[in-house]
Amino acid sequence: MTALSWPGCANTRDLGGLPTAWGGRIRKGALIRSDRPRPDSVHALLGHDVRLVLDLRLAGECATDPSPLAGHPAYRNLSVLRDEDDVLEAIADTMPAIYQAILDRGADRLAAVITAIALAPPGAVLVHCHSGRDRTGLVIALALTLAGVPDEEIAQDYALTASCLRPGTEERARRLSAQVTEATMLRTLAHLRDRYGGAAPYLGVGESVVALLRARLTEPSGAPA
């Protein structure tokens, strides 16, 4: 993985280099995760060959804090939350429980995001929400799981966000931020398997979409970076 220094962003990294279970790796410049871009992020973002920006925020968030890329042909807003779930801290008491609830309530919305990644034009796909932690973390975990990245590698990437963002000042927010750990993501991926049989049956996107996603995101071992 490569941390990217984009002006205005604090939590941006290229997921290229992560290994797959069958000996390949995630292609550099294919999948990027971030917190929400600011106006001064746009030049660096587009200069990194980003061809699709998936904003996972609710429509109300986008109206209050519009993306600087709104209206650009690369930009799409695909929320993964229900409108009534606008306060994550109100969904459940722990981070693993929040993530499990989002999964249980949002398979169709998450499937739309994964399909958009699979069908994206050549170039990089940027996935972001507000801070690039929770909604982005779930989408990236699903995409990497389908691409064949082992759970432990996905969990290590997720946990990196803890060092990129400041926890909130409210006690509950601080407590949840402290749960941005490898163990939280491992529990989330275990829930995905135990309840749904894995990412592919959970999403219901079909073998063709999974094949397109893997072809887009991965390269064989030994391929040039």
Side-chain angles (χ1 to χ4, degrees):
M1 296 167 291
T2 303
L4 301 176
S5 298
W6 288 356
C9 291
N11 184 26
T12 306
R13 51 192 180 271
D14 185 332
L15 298 164
L18 286 173
T20 66
W22 44 78
R25 62 189 178 190
I26 299 299
R27 190 187 312 277
K28 184 178 179 180
L31 185 62
I32 299 171
R33 61 178 298 164
S34 179
D35 51 330
R36 70 197 186 284
R38 279 65 162 192
D40 54 354
S41 312
V42 173
H43 179 74
L45 185 158
L46 296 177
H48 207 84
D49 197 31
V50 172
R51 300 298 180 88
L52 178 63
V53 178
L54 295 175
D55 185 344
L56 309 180
R57 297 178 299 160
L58 290 159
E61 293 177 88
C62 295
T64 301
D65 181 17
S67 170
L69 290 151
H72 191 283
Y75 175 82
R76 292 181 66 183
N77 175 219
L78 293 175
S79 174
V80 300
L81 292 178
R82 306 182 305 179
D83 289 342
E84 58 267 37
D85 291 331
D86 58 333
V87 180
L88 289 181
E89 291 85 351
I91 296 176
D93 291 330
T94 67
M95 199 64 83
I98 290 171
Y99 292 168
Q100 290 172 25
I102 293 173
L103 289 173
D104 293 343
R105 299 171 184 179
D108 56 339
R109 290 179 289 274
L110 287 160
V113 177
I114 294 299
T115 301
I117 296 172
L119 300 179
V125 175
L126 170 65
V127 179
H128 77 85
C129 50
H130 179 83
S131 65
R133 187 186 74 181
D134 305 313
R135 291 167 284 186
T136 298
L138 287 175
V139 166
I140 294 299
L142 287 166
L144 294 178
T145 297
L146 290 173
V149 177
D151 289 3
E152 293 75 14
E153 297 285 346
I154 297 171
Q156 288 173 21
D157 167 68
Y158 164 78
L160 288 175
T161 291
S163 62
C164 297
L165 302 173
R166 294 181 180 179
T169 57
E170 193 261 337
E171 187 277 332
R172 180 177 172 82
R174 290 199 306 272
R175 178 169 58 81
L176 291 176
S177 293
Q179 297 173 24
V180 180
T181 63
E182 294 179 31
T184 287
M185 182 52 68
L186 291 172
R187 286 181 62 183
T188 302
L189 293 170
H191 173 76
L192 191 67
R193 280 193 304 273
D194 294 345
R195 181 159 184 173
Y196 299 101
Y202 164 74
L203 293 165
V205 292
E207 293 182 6
S208 61
V209 170
V210 174
L212 285 170
L213 182 84
R214 288 176 179 168
R216 195 190 187 289
L217 295 186
T218 65
E219 61 186 6
S221 179

